Amino acid sequence: MINLGINEFIRNIKKNILIIILFVSVYVMTILVVSAFMEQYRQFDGVSNVFDDTGIMVYANLQDKEGNPITPQRYKEVLKKVENVEMPFGTDLFESNEIQLDRSSIHLVTYSEKNISYVPRLLAGEWCEDAKTEKGVINVVASNNMPFVIKIGSKVELNGYTFKITGIIGENEPLYGHLTGYDDINSISYLNYYSTINQKRSLGTEYYVLLADYEDMKREYKYPMGLAGIITIDFYDDITKDEIKANIDTMDELFEYMGLSASNYIVETEQPYEHSKQLLDVKLMPMVVILAVFIGILVLSMVVSSSINVLYEKKNYGVYFICGNSWKKTFIFSSVSWSMVALTALVVAGCICIVISAISAFKGIVLTFSLVHFLILLAITLVLLMVAFIISYRMLRKIQPVSILKDNDK
C-alpha cells in the first residue's frame, strides 16, 4: 500500500505542485507567527509575576535619611497591599590585575528568578542559575563582546571576586535589568524592561554585561549594589484606586526628601499593561490574518485537487480493483500519497526557514522550533489532510468498479 501511495504521489507531483507551494507557504507562515508570538510573549510573560494592571513602575533608586537605598522589604512596610517588589541590582566592575578596564566598562546585573522568569537565549553554555554552585565563585553569563577572551567554564577575577562564565549571550539579545527611560508615558510597555547591548552601545560607549546568579551574589558579594533597572511594585489585585493614590502620596514624601518630583519617576502600570496587550495584538494579528487566509485558500485547493486526483486516478483504481484490491485499501494508499505531499512541503518549508534565519530576513523575529511549533503544525496538517481524505473517501464510495470498466471500454 505504501509503495502504491508513493507511486501515486510521484505520478501526480506536477499536478500537485500548486498544493505543495500552498502547503509550504502555510508551514513557513505558521513557523513565523508562532516564533514571533513566543518571542514577544516570552518577554511579556517573563515579568508577569510583578507586571500587571495594579502596580507602579519607579524610575529612581530612592534612599532613606541615612543615605541607604530603600529595600524591597522597606517598600512593603511603608506601602499598603504590596504583593511583590522587584528590584534588579547592578554595579560596575573595573579592577583587575590582568585586564585594563574603564570604570564603567563591565556592568554586573542580578535579579531574583522568583520575580522574573525571563531567561535570555544563550549562544553557548547554560544559564547561570542552572549551573553548579561553587563556594567563593559567582556564576555569570557574559556578553560575547567582552574585552578579554571568554570560554565556558573559565574564571575571571574582577574587583576581588571570582566570576565563572557559565554561558554567553549575543549583543542583540533582549536583557532584563538594564534601565531604559521613556519619552512618552503612552509608549511604556513590557518592552521598557528590556534592552540589548547594541542599544546601549548606540549611546556612544562600549557596553559589556555580566548577568549573575542571584543567590551567588547574596552569598558572595559584600558591597551594596545600586538599581540596575525599573523598580516594579505590584499591589494585590483587590487594591482600590484610592489606595494606589495613597501609596503614591507616600512615595511623594520619599521623592521630596531626595529633592525629586515623583510625577517624573512614577508610572502606574494600568496603562502600560493595557498598552502591552495591544502591542502583542498589533504585532501578531496581521500575520495571523494572513495565515488564516492562506489556510482557507489551501482548504479550497485541497477540495478541488482531491476531486481531480480521484477522477484522474479512477482508471488505475479500476485496474487495482480487478487485481483484488478493495476500496478500503485504495483509500489507504491515496492517503499515503497526500501524506507525502504534506511531508515534502514540510521539508521544503524547513529549509526555507533555515535560510531565513541564517540571513536574518525578518528583523525582530527569532525563528525557533519547539514542541509548540510541532503541535500547531501537526494540527494544521491533520486538518488539511482530513479534508483530502474525506473528499477522496466520499468520491470512492460513489464510484462503481463496473462503471470504471465500461468507461475504459469506450
Side-chain angles (χ1 to χ4, degrees):
M1 291 299 104
I2 294 178
N3 288 336
L4 288 174
I6 294 174
N7 289 335
E8 182 176 314
F9 163 73
I10 295 172
R11 282 199 308 272
N12 297 327
I13 193 167
K14 289 184 178 179
K15 297 202 308 299
N16 290 331
I17 193 68
L18 178 61
I19 294 294
I20 292 175
I21 292 173
L22 287 172
F23 257 107
V24 169
S25 301
V26 167
Y27 286 150
V28 171
M29 187 61 65
T30 299
I31 293 172
L32 286 173
V33 169
V34 176
S35 295
F37 174 79
M38 291 186 69
E39 179 62 22
Q40 295 301 320
Y41 186 75
R42 191 170 68 95
Q43 296 178 44
F44 180 78
D45 185 60
V47 295
S48 62
N49 288 338
V50 291
F51 180 61
D52 57 22
D53 57 354
T54 55
I56 56 176
M57 302 165 74
V58 184
Y59 282 79
N61 193 13
L62 301 181
Q63 299 175 353
D64 59 21
K65 294 180 180 180
E66 286 73 39
N68 299 314
I70 298 178
T71 63
Q73 184 58 40
R74 182 59 179 156
Y75 281 118
K76 290 182 179 181
E77 292 172 358
V78 300
L79 302 178
K80 297 177 180 178
K81 290 190 174 181
V82 176
E83 182 176 4
N84 219 331
V85 179
E86 163 56 21
M87 292 178 64
F89 298 99
T91 190
D92 293 331
L93 303 175
F94 55 91
E95 294 178 359
S96 172
N97 294 330
E98 302 174 3
I99 308 160
Q100 188 66 38
L101 299 172
D102 295 330
R103 182 175 180 81
S104 58
S105 288
I106 297 180
H107 302 277
L108 176 67
V109 177
T110 188
Y111 51 86
S112 173
E113 284 199 334
K114 176 184 175 183
N115 296 333
I116 305 300
S117 61
Y118 177 80
V119 175
R121 286 194 174 89
L122 305 181
L123 298 177
E126 61 181 332
W127 181 234
C128 53
E129 301 275 355
D130 299 330
K132 184 179 179 181
T133 299
E134 294 183 41
K135 187 175 181 180
V137 175
I138 299 173
N139 289 333
V140 293
V141 167
S143 57
N144 65 339
N145 64 328
M146 283 290 173
F148 50 86
V149 177
I150 55 174
K151 295 181 180 179
I152 302 300
S154 64
K155 296 178 181 179
V156 59
E157 295 281 339
L158 293 167
N159 282 47
Y161 293 93
T162 302
F163 298 95
K164 181 180 178 180
I165 310 296
T166 67
I168 300 174
I169 49 176
E171 298 166 59
N172 287 316
E173 182 64 21
L175 304 177
Y176 172 82
H178 297 264
L179 185 62
T180 57
Y182 62 92
D183 298 322
D184 179 8
I185 190 172
N186 296 316
S187 68
I188 300 175
S189 69
Y190 69 97
L191 295 175
N192 285 71
Y193 285 103
Y194 303 94
S195 65
T196 67
I197 292 170
N198 277 336
Q199 286 172 334
K200 290 293 187 180
R201 181 189 287 141
S202 66
L203 299 177
T205 58
E206 190 56 84
Y207 198 83
Y208 312 111
V209 173
L210 292 178
L211 299 179
D213 181 296
Y214 187 73
E215 295 301 323
D216 284 355
M217 289 294 293
K218 283 172 59 178
R219 185 186 68 251
E220 302 291 343
Y221 204 82
K222 306 305 180 186
Y223 297 100
M225 301 181 72
L227 179 67
I230 303 168
I231 300 173
T232 307
I233 302 175
D234 181 30
F235 304 123
Y236 286 103
D237 292 341
D238 62 351
I239 194 171
T240 65
K241 289 188 176 295
D242 288 339
E243 288 171 323
I244 292 178
K245 185 179 184 305
N247 282 333
I248 293 177
D249 290 340
T250 301
M251 295 287 289
D252 271 332
E253 298 175 8
L254 298 174
F255 275 97
E256 186 178 353
Y257 165 73
M258 295 185 65
L260 302 173
S261 172
S263 61
N264 294 330
Y265 296 94
I266 292 181
V267 177
E268 291 188 51
T269 57
E270 182 177 10
Q271 186 171 331
Y273 185 73
E274 292 302 319
H275 181 52
S276 296
K277 294 194 292 186
Q278 291 171 5
L279 271 181
L280 288 175
D281 290 341
V282 168
K283 288 185 176 185
L284 300 175
M285 192 54 65
M287 297 182 75
V288 172
V289 171
I290 294 173
L291 175 61
V293 170
F294 269 95
I295 291 176
I297 294 173
L298 184 51
V299 168
L300 292 176
S301 301
M302 291 290 285
V303 172
V304 174
S305 294
S306 298
S307 303
I308 293 174
N309 190 69
V310 170
L311 294 174
Y312 181 81
E313 291 289 332
K314 188 168 66 171
K315 179 179 179 180
N316 292 325
Y317 292 161
V319 173
Y320 297 151
F321 188 84
I322 293 172
C323 295
N325 198 33
S326 64
W327 284 146
K328 181 179 179 181
K329 291 181 179 179
T330 301
F331 170 71
I332 291 174
F333 70 70
S334 178
S335 301
V336 170
S337 174
W338 281 113
S339 298
M340 290 294 297
V341 169
L343 180 61
T344 301
L346 185 59
V347 172
V348 174
C351 295
I352 291 174
C353 286
I354 291 173
V355 172
I356 290 175
S357 180
I359 65 176
S360 301
F362 292 91
K363 186 177 180 180
I365 297 180
V366 179
L367 284 183
T368 58
F369 195 84
S370 64
L371 180 61
V372 176
H373 289 79
F374 172 77
L375 292 176
I376 293 177
L377 288 174
L378 179 62
I380 291 175
T381 301
L382 290 177
V383 169
L384 294 172
L385 289 180
M386 283 302 297
V387 172
F389 296 165
I390 291 171
I391 297 300
S392 299
Y393 180 75
R394 289 173 63 88
M395 291 189 69
L396 285 172
R397 286 285 300 270
K398 294 179 180 179
I399 295 175
Q400 297 296 324
V402 175
S403 66
I404 296 175
L405 296 177
K406 286 181 178 180
D407 289 342
N408 290 340
D409 240 2
K410 294 178 182 179

